[in-house]
Coordinates of all heavy atoms in Angstrom, one line a residue:
R656 N 13.7 6.3 47.1 CA 12.8 7.4 46.9 C 12.2 7.8 48.2 O 12.0 9.0 48.5 CB 11.6 6.9 46.0 CG 12.2 6.7 44.6 CD 11.0 6.5 43.6 NE 10.3 5.2 43.9 CZ 10.6 4.1 43.3 NH1 11.7 4.0 42.5 NH2 10.0 3.0 43.6
R657 N 11.9 6.8 49.1 CA 11.3 7.2 50.4 C 12.3 8.0 51.3 O 11.9 9.0 51.9 CB 10.8 6.0 51.2 CG 9.5 5.4 50.5 CD 9.0 4.4 51.5 NE 9.8 3.2 51.8 CZ 9.8 2.2 51.0 NH1 9.0 2.1 50.0 NH2 10.6 1.2 51.4
S658 N 13.5 7.6 51.2 CA 14.6 8.2 52.1 C 14.9 9.6 51.6 O 15.3 10.5 52.3 CB 15.9 7.4 52.2 OG 16.4 7.4 50.9
Q659 N 14.7 9.8 50.3 CA 15.0 11.1 49.7 C 13.8 12.0 49.9 O 13.9 13.2 49.6 CB 15.3 11.0 48.2 CG 16.5 10.2 47.9 CD 17.8 10.9 48.4 OE1 18.0 12.1 48.3 NE2 18.7 10.1 48.9
G660 N 12.6 11.5 50.3 CA 11.4 12.3 50.2 C 11.4 13.5 51.1 O 11.1 14.6 50.7
N661 N 11.8 13.3 52.4 CA 11.8 14.5 53.3 C 12.8 15.5 52.9 O 12.5 16.7 53.0 CB 12.1 14.0 54.7 CG 11.0 13.1 55.3 OD1 9.9 13.2 54.9 ND2 11.4 12.2 56.2
R662 N 13.9 15.1 52.4 CA 15.0 16.1 52.1 C 14.6 16.9 50.8 O 14.9 18.1 50.7 CB 16.3 15.4 51.8 CG 17.4 16.3 51.5 CD 18.8 15.7 51.6 NE 18.7 14.2 51.2 CZ 19.8 13.6 50.6 NH1 20.8 14.3 50.3 NH2 19.7 12.3 50.4
H663 N 13.9 16.2 49.8 CA 13.6 16.9 48.5 C 12.1 17.1 48.4 O 11.8 17.6 47.3 CB 14.1 16.0 47.4 CG 15.6 15.8 47.4 ND1 16.5 16.8 47.5 CD2 16.3 14.7 47.4 CE1 17.7 16.3 47.5 NE2 17.6 15.0 47.4
G664 N 11.3 16.8 49.4 CA 9.9 17.0 49.2 C 9.5 18.4 48.8 O 8.7 18.7 48.0
Q665 N 10.1 19.4 49.6 CA 9.7 20.8 49.3 C 10.1 21.2 47.9 O 9.4 21.9 47.2 CB 10.4 21.7 50.3 CG 10.2 23.2 50.1 CD 8.8 23.6 50.5 OE1 8.1 22.8 51.1 NE2 8.4 24.7 50.1
R666 N 11.3 20.8 47.4 CA 11.7 21.1 46.1 C 10.8 20.5 45.0 O 10.5 21.1 44.0 CB 13.1 20.6 45.8 CG 13.7 21.1 44.4 CD 15.1 20.8 44.3 NE 15.4 19.3 44.4 CZ 16.6 18.8 44.4 NH1 17.6 19.6 44.4 NH2 16.8 17.5 44.5
R667 N 10.3 19.2 45.3 CA 9.4 18.6 44.3 C 8.1 19.4 44.2 O 7.5 19.5 43.2 CB 9.1 17.1 44.7 CG 10.3 16.2 44.4 CD 9.8 14.8 44.3 NE 9.3 14.4 45.6 CZ 10.0 13.7 46.5 NH1 11.3 13.5 46.3 NH2 9.5 13.4 47.6
R668 N 7.6 19.8 45.4 CA 6.4 20.6 45.3 C 6.5 21.9 44.6 O 5.7 22.3 43.8 CB 5.8 20.9 46.8 CG 5.3 19.6 47.4 CD 4.6 20.0 48.7 NE 5.5 20.5 49.7 CZ 6.1 19.7 50.6 NH1 6.0 18.4 50.6 NH2 7.0 20.2 51.5
K669 N 7.7 22.5 44.8 CA 7.9 23.8 44.1 C 8.0 23.7 42.7 O 7.6 24.6 41.9 CB 9.2 24.4 44.7 CG 9.6 25.7 44.2 CD 10.8 26.3 44.9 CE 11.2 27.6 44.4 NZ 12.4 28.2 45.0
N670 N 8.6 22.6 42.2 CA 8.8 22.4 40.8 C 7.9 21.4 40.1 O 8.2 20.9 39.0 CB 10.3 21.9 40.5 CG 11.3 22.9 41.0 OD1 11.0 24.1 40.9 ND2 12.4 22.4 41.5
A671 N 6.7 21.2 40.8 CA 5.8 20.2 40.2 C 5.5 20.4 38.7 O 5.5 19.4 38.0 CB 4.5 20.1 41.1
S672 N 5.1 21.6 38.4 CA 4.7 21.8 37.0 C 5.8 21.8 36.0 O 5.6 21.6 34.8 CB 3.9 23.1 36.8 OG 4.7 24.2 37.1
N673 N 7.0 22.0 36.6 CA 8.2 22.0 35.7 C 8.8 20.7 35.4 O 9.6 20.5 34.5 CB 9.3 22.9 36.3 CG 8.9 24.4 36.3 OD1 8.0 24.8 35.6 ND2 9.6 25.2 37.1
D674 N 8.3 19.7 36.1 CA 9.0 18.4 36.1 C 8.1 17.3 35.5 O 8.2 16.1 35.9 CB 9.6 17.9 37.4 CG 10.5 16.8 37.3 OD1 11.0 16.5 36.3 OD2 10.7 16.1 38.4
N675 N 7.1 17.7 34.7 CA 6.1 16.7 34.1 C 5.4 15.9 35.2 O 5.0 14.9 34.9 CB 6.9 15.8 33.2 CG 7.6 16.5 32.1 OD1 7.0 17.4 31.5 ND2 8.7 16.0 31.7
R676 N 5.2 16.6 36.4 CA 4.5 15.9 37.4 C 3.1 16.3 37.4 O 2.8 17.4 37.1 CB 5.2 16.2 38.8 CG 6.6 15.7 38.9 CD 7.2 16.0 40.3 NE 8.5 15.5 40.4 CZ 8.9 14.3 40.8 NH1 7.9 13.5 41.1 NH2 10.1 14.0 40.8
P677 N 2.2 15.4 37.9 CA 0.8 15.8 38.0 C 0.6 17.0 38.9 O 1.2 17.0 40.0 CB 0.1 14.5 38.5 CG 1.1 13.7 39.1 CD 2.4 14.1 38.4
R678 N -0.4 17.9 38.6 CA -0.6 19.1 39.4 C -1.5 18.7 40.6 O -2.3 17.8 40.5 CB -1.4 20.1 38.6 CG -0.6 20.7 37.5 CD -1.6 21.3 36.5 NE -2.7 22.0 37.0 CZ -2.7 23.3 37.3 NH1 -1.6 24.0 37.0 NH2 -3.7 23.9 37.9
R679 N -1.2 19.3 41.7 CA -2.1 19.1 42.9 C -3.3 20.2 42.8 O -3.1 21.2 42.1 CB -1.4 19.3 44.2 CG -0.4 18.2 44.4 CD 0.3 18.4 45.8 NE 1.1 17.3 46.1 CZ 2.3 17.1 45.7 NH1 2.9 17.9 44.9 NH2 3.1 16.0 46.0

Side-chain angles (χ1 to χ4, degrees):
R656 292 188 292 273
R657 289 194 295 271
S658 66
Q659 298 291 323
N661 292 335
R662 183 168 28 149
H663 298 307
Q665 179 70 13
R666 183 172 63 186
R667 284 201 297 268
R668 287 191 292 273
K669 183 176 179 181
N670 295 328
S672 65
N673 289 346
D674 193 21
N675 299 321
R676 296 178 181 274
R678 293 156 44 91
R679 292 182 172 83

